[in-house]
Amino acid sequence: MPVTEPVIVGASGATLRTADGRELIDCASAAFGYQYPVVREAVSAQLSVLPQSTRMFLNRPLADLVRHLAESTPGDLAVTYPANSAAEAMEGALKLALGYHRRSGRRGFVATLGSDHGGSGGAMSVSRLGSPERAEVAGAPIDVAFVRFGDTTELRRAVERARPAAAVLEPIATGEGLTVPPAGYLSAVREICDESGALLIVNETITGLGRTGARFAVDAENVVPDVLVLGGALGGGVLPVGAYVTRAAINRRVYGRRGPWLHGSTTGGNPLACVAAVSVLDVMEREDLPGRSRINARRIRQSLNDIHLRHADVVKSVASVGQLAAITFHDPASARGAASQARAHGVLAWEGALDRGVLGLRPPLICTGAELERALDGIRAAVDAVGTVAEERIA
């Protein structure tokens, strides 16, 4: 079978390099970035000492990661369960909520529409996008009631009716583009969960680690979830890493003095992965990644507003928060055309919702100002090209 897509042979920062000598700015992955010296060197040093370790004993990199996450995550979140990916971390978070409510008989969940929490069974069960076959999981182990993201009235009714073990959501819905909730939404969700006894599981795989201009998106409303799910950028562009972090009181209720028997991971929390994650958390604080995102956010917002103003005939709306952005076109064909043109102009945009007319921008956390300018120039040229085609069609 012939290869029709570019073959990536190297990367650094936010720039991907292909076998045919081209460069693409990665605005699709919502990653940390590539070949960052601090992360790469820390992992390389650990590789020569203790790359993997038995889970029968504690290793120092894991202890360092647990401490760093307790210091970095909101409020009294203090107990970390390491995993190999965000999907595995979500599985663990769901099991933790079920374990917390095992005596009360609460077995289901309430989740919001428009989020994709991963490709494993439980994570897919609490994900629902536009495609029915993507949402329906044969033999799914849990019952899930879905509500519209941002609608607290609908959420309250569902929680009162279903009495779920937990409510599951992203602080900003990213599964179908970028849906920003109304002000006060996260605080209201926290209140609804507190009143009903349901836990609140928040997935910050995409929005966390400074990407929205704060350490975590929930910080915008000073909300502390009961379980925080992380992954993706936590691996520093070097290794797959996931984790979920909870309160000590929840951990005690589920496990007491026993080990976390609901969460078993042979390689989750291995020394290499933990060193990568600790390096990412260090970089987040030392280099002020939230502050960098706030600076980049202004440039992204200005550029997208200009694009919308110039091409209202093809662009329906634009949205951005920090280093997350989305352009919604009037029709899917224009979105697909813009994605193709973006590649031609050296930008790899997020293409997960082209069938809904949405093109996303999710540059890495360490994206430089110069790389961001190149990306925005490429997106502008891509939409210009789509707009020209639309004008010619009308003429």
Side-chain angles (χ1 to χ4, degrees), residues 23-84:
E23 289 189 348
L24 293 166
I25 304 300
D26 176 12
C27 286
S29 67
F32 175 79
Y34 306 99
Q35 293 286 348
Y36 204 58
V38 172
V39 180
R40 187 185 63 222
E41 291 164 9
V43 171
S44 178
Q46 185 64 41
L47 183 63
S48 64
V49 177
L50 183 68
Q52 298 289 327
S53 176
T54 174
R55 292 300 300 275
M56 297 293 290
F57 301 104
L58 182 66
N59 63 75
R60 184 166 294 281
L62 177 56
D64 289 342
L65 175 58
V66 169
R67 177 176 58 82
H68 273 69
L69 283 173
E71 294 172 350
S72 300
T73 51
D76 58 350
L77 297 177
V79 179
T80 292
Y81 304 87
N84 295 290

Side-chain angles (χ1 to χ4, degrees), residues 349-360:
W350 182 75
E351 302 176 2
L354 294 181
D355 60 339
R356 291 177 167 268
V358 179
L359 186 71

Side-chain angles (χ1 to χ4, degrees), residues 72-386:
S72 300
T73 51
D76 58 350
L77 297 177
V79 179
T80 292
Y81 304 87
N84 295 290
S85 66
E88 183 184 327
M90 177 56 73
E91 296 287 341
L94 298 175
K95 290 188 289 184
L96 186 71
L98 293 174
Y100 184 82
H101 288 293
R102 65 182 181 275
R103 293 178 181 173
S104 68
R106 293 183 180 221
R107 303 295 301 168
F109 295 87
V110 171
T112 54
L113 296 167
S115 291
D116 186 350
H117 297 289
S120 53
M124 288 180 71
S125 296
V126 293
S127 304
R128 178 155 292 187
L129 304 179
S131 172
E133 60 271 17
R134 179 67 178 83
E136 302 297 337
V137 184
I142 53 180
D143 295 323
V144 184
F146 286 93
V147 299
R148 285 175 295 180
F149 181 76
D151 190 329
T152 53
T153 300
E154 195 170 312
L155 176 67
R156 185 180 296 278
R157 288 172 181 164
V159 167
E160 290 174 352
R161 181 174 59 252
R163 295 187 69 251
V168 184
L169 52 79
E170 292 180 289
I172 298 168
T174 65
E176 295 175 334
L178 190 69
T179 305
V180 182
Y185 174 68
L186 295 176
S187 299
V189 171
R190 176 71 274 179
E191 181 180 329
I192 291 168
C193 289
D194 288 341
E195 291 174 353
S196 68
L199 297 185
L200 174 58
I201 299 174
V202 175
N203 187 350
E204 291 243 25
T205 298
I206 301 296
T207 57
L209 303 177
R211 197 177 305 279
T212 64
R215 282 180 178 177
F216 300 96
V218 293
D219 292 341
E221 296 188 16
N222 296 315
V223 168
V224 181
D226 296 299
V227 189
L228 183 72
V229 175
L230 298 171
L234 188 61
V238 177
L239 290 166
V241 180
Y244 57 107
V245 192
T246 190
R247 306 174 192 268
I250 293 174
N251 181 73
R252 285 194 298 271
R253 175 163 165 173
V254 176
Y255 295 119
R257 294 181 176 275
R258 297 170 296 171
W261 53 272
L262 286 174
H263 176 76
S265 182
T266 301
T267 56
N270 69 77
L272 278 182
C274 290
V275 163
V278 168
S279 298
V280 167
L281 295 171
D282 282 341
V283 169
M284 180 180 71
E285 296 300 328
R286 186 173 62 251
E287 301 187 19
D288 189 18
L289 294 185
R292 180 185 296 190
S293 289
R294 290 193 296 273
I295 293 171
N296 289 340
R298 291 192 289 270
R299 186 68 190 94
I300 293 170
R301 189 181 309 113
Q302 178 185 350
S303 184
L304 264 60
N305 286 339
D306 289 345
I307 288 172
H308 188 203
L309 186 63
R310 292 171 56 189
H311 294 290
D313 54 332
V314 293
V315 175
K316 182 178 180 180
S317 64
V318 295
S320 65
V321 178
Q323 289 188 193
L324 293 172
I327 302 172
T328 301
F329 293 84
H330 287 294
D331 59 84
S334 294
R336 288 191 286 269
S340 177
Q341 286 292 330
R343 290 192 183 200
H345 286 87
V347 183
L348 181 64
W350 182 75
E351 302 176 2
L354 294 181
D355 60 339
R356 291 177 167 268
V358 179
L359 186 71
L361 298 178
R362 303 176 177 187
L365 288 171
I366 61 169
C367 181
T368 65
E371 288 174 318
L372 182 63
E373 287 299 327
R374 287 176 59 191
L376 293 174
D377 286 345
I379 293 297
R380 187 181 301 106
V383 180
D384 284 347
V386 171

